Amino acid sequence: MTTSFHPPQRTLMGPGPSDVHPRILEAMCRPTIGHLDPIFVGMMDEMKELLQHAFRTENQMTMPVSAPGSAGMESCFVNLVEPGDKVIVCQNGVFGGRMKENVERCSGTAVMVEDEWGRAVDPQKLEDALKANPDAKLVAFVHAETSTGARSDAKVLVELAHKHGCLTIVDAVTSLGGSEIQVDGWNIDAIYSGTQKCLSCTPGLSPVSFSDAALEKVKNRNSKVQSWFLDLNLVMGYWGSGAKRAYHHTAPINALYGLHEALVMLQDEGLENAWARHDYHHKALKAGLEALGLNFIVPESERLPQLNAVTIPEGVDDAAVRSALLNDYNLEIGAGLGVMAGKVWRIGLMGHACRKENVLKCLSALDDVLGRMGAPVNNGVAVAAAQRTYSE
Ligand code: PLP
């Protein structure tokens, strides 16, 4: 007979999901109440304020979509792209490719601005594309490209888009809570994120925020949004400001308790402190990985602290290393995605996973596993290099 499922306790240092804080898991076990219960509605109002704080915005339309980051992505595209709209999509990794898919499925035309994987989006290339396509309506790009660990300059890219009369869609799935984001300060029109990365929460929800300019476009569409579930005009009846909180769909109540707790924790830590913590532990991890002899694929000035992509040394069996880390150390690191498959490891330092004990565990486990496999690395020095960084 099948019995209850009991997963092992892993350390999650891949590209997400990352370690969930026990306080969040505990919050999710609280009693389920109705999604229109006045007490739940009060929690929703707090959640909106907490999300506004995390995104640094006053946008009223700031809420979690009841589905993972991909649904937040779709929510931005299906609402803002109308059939025939031209959208400039900057691609420097896997997730820019998904943006193209979204544009095309909304019957829009995607104009691709391609950058090398492992580099930030080049503002000059975007400006050239904007000049060559004066009829473009939107610019979309990934702030933190999880497939490579590259961070693009969202402020500059949004400024350029606005200079040419375009609205902007920004993917912040990996950046929210880990790296600076200023939705109002940078004038971002539509942004989406995920809960399973630097927010230390479980997967399955997607915080989004829309500016007034973006909402104007949604309200004045010529055609219906093709997704009933994601149509903001309808979702606003449940999450919108001053809304009567009428039934739209049954909210994932306990998952929302978890996100509420995660956002309270982020507020208590302080956004700047959370960003600084990611930088601090990244520096120690970097010192250890480089001492071991592993090289980062992203130039230092364009690197995300929460996603460390390093090249796999020549002749090393990628899958065998990751299985040994999982089986011997209960440690998960990420494989390469897309064209990076088999070439890089992606080591996440996200949210609750971003702490000293994880940095040291990961370095000592890699040191052991690579040493045992006879990989061409410098054994016995990685942990000490990280410790030196911590003591500086
Ligand atoms: N965008 C980026 C940059 C991501 O890293 C991810 C997931 O890793 C997504 C979108 C999709 O999010 P989800 O897997 O939660 O649907």
Side-chain angles (χ1 to χ4, degrees):
M1 204 175 355
T2 309
T3 56
S4 309
F5 176 63
H6 291 280
Q9 184 70 55
R10 307 275 203 213
T11 300
L12 300 180
M13 296 183 72
S18 58
D19 285 351
V20 177
H21 196 285
R23 250 178 78 176
I24 293 168
L25 290 174
E26 186 271 324
M28 292 173 77
C29 292
R30 293 176 192 154
T32 304
I33 58 175
H35 66 284
L36 295 172
D37 184 314
I39 304 235
F40 189 75
V41 168
M43 192 279 291
M44 289 169 69
D45 289 336
E46 286 182 5
M47 166 94 75
K48 289 183 64 173
E49 275 177 29
L50 288 163
L51 274 179
Q52 284 173 327
H53 170 262
F55 274 130
R56 288 266 157 95
T57 182
E58 304 273 310
N59 285 343
Q60 287 305 314
M61 198 55 205
T62 302
M63 50 131 205
V65 173
S66 301
S70 306
M73 179 188 268
E74 295 226 17
S75 171
C76 292
F77 284 90
V78 295
N79 282 286
L80 290 174
V81 181
E82 287 205 72
D85 279 357
K86 199 183 251 192
V87 183
I88 298 183
V89 175
C90 304
Q91 179 170 17
N92 60 341
V94 165
F95 292 97
R98 291 201 185 171
M99 289 178 149
K100 175 177 191 276
E101 271 289 316
N102 269 272
V103 172
E104 289 169 353
R105 283 165 194 250
C106 295
S107 307
T109 305
V111 175
M112 299 305 290
V113 174
E114 305 277 355
D115 273 292
E116 200 185 316
W117 289 35
R119 297 301 307 268
V121 171
D122 180 352
Q124 187 58 54
K125 285 192 189 166
L126 172 60
E127 178 138 49
D128 294 346
L130 284 161
K131 283 185 183 150
N133 295 278
D135 52 340
K137 300 268 175 52
L138 284 155
V139 168
F141 63 88
V142 179
H143 179 221
E145 185 41 85
T146 326
S147 59
T148 64
R151 170 180 15 206
S152 293
D153 191 336
K155 180 170 186 271
V156 166
L157 298 175
V158 172
E159 257 168 32
L160 281 173
H162 286 169
K163 198 171 106 189
H164 291 266
C166 288
L167 293 176
T168 48
I169 297 179
V170 179
D171 180 320
V173 171
T174 284
S175 39
L176 185 66
S179 301
E180 181 178 10
I181 296 175
Q182 307 277 357
V183 169
D184 287 358
W186 301 346
N187 291 314
I188 292 169
D189 298 291
I191 189 163
Y192 57 91
S193 187
T195 43
Q196 73 274 29
K197 307 216 184 209
C198 298
L199 295 182
S200 316
C201 194
T202 49
L205 293 172
S206 178
V208 294
S209 184
F210 293 86
S211 70
D212 289 344
L215 287 185
E216 268 311 297
K217 171 140 170 111
V218 180
K219 284 181 188 147
N220 294 316
R221 287 176 61 105
N222 293 318
S223 55
K224 267 189 174 178
V225 172
Q226 87 265 22
S227 161
W228 178 87
F229 183 63
L230 297 172
D231 184 344
L232 278 183
N233 293 302
L234 305 176
V235 176
M236 276 187 256
Y238 186 54
W239 276 104
S241 58
K244 287 205 194 86
R245 302 275 186 254
Y247 169 65
H248 174 261
H249 64 279
T250 308
I253 293 148
N254 292 58
L256 289 169
Y257 298 164
L259 178 56
H260 184 277
E261 191 68 17
L263 294 169
V264 166
M265 290 177 62
L266 183 61
Q267 165 206 268
D268 292 351
E269 180 177 13
L271 269 178
E272 278 88 357
N273 293 337
W275 302 336
R277 173 168 53 84
H278 285 84
D279 280 331
Y280 176 70
H281 294 295
H282 158 76
K283 286 200 177 82
L285 181 70
K286 166 185 175 285
L289 291 172
E290 287 179 343
L292 199 54
L294 302 180
N295 300 314
F296 279 78
I297 63 166
V298 177
E300 193 152 3
S301 61
E302 298 172 6
R303 208 177 281 163
L304 288 164
Q306 61 273 50
L307 197 290
N308 298 268
V310 287
T311 43
I312 299 173
E314 199 70 28
V316 170
D317 184 339
D318 165 28
V321 171
R322 285 184 293 104
S323 316
L325 292 173
L326 199 64
N327 297 330
D328 301 350
Y329 289 93
N330 269 313
L331 172 66
E332 180 178 280
I333 65 165
L337 255 194
V339 296
M340 298 282 176
K343 297 187 183 139
V344 303
W345 287 314
R346 292 179 300 151
I347 304 176
L349 273 181
M350 299 181 179
H352 181 53
C354 180
R355 51 194 208 275
K356 185 173 180 178
E357 68 198 79
N358 280 6
V359 168
L360 300 181
K361 173 177 175 168
C362 178
L363 291 171
S364 106
L366 267 175
D367 193 31
D368 171 44
V369 169
L370 291 173
R372 272 194 275 140
M373 290 185 181
V377 292
N378 311 312
N379 277 121
V381 291
V383 171
Q387 292 281 25
R388 263 196 309 282
T389 307
Y390 279 127
S391 56
E392 267 162 20

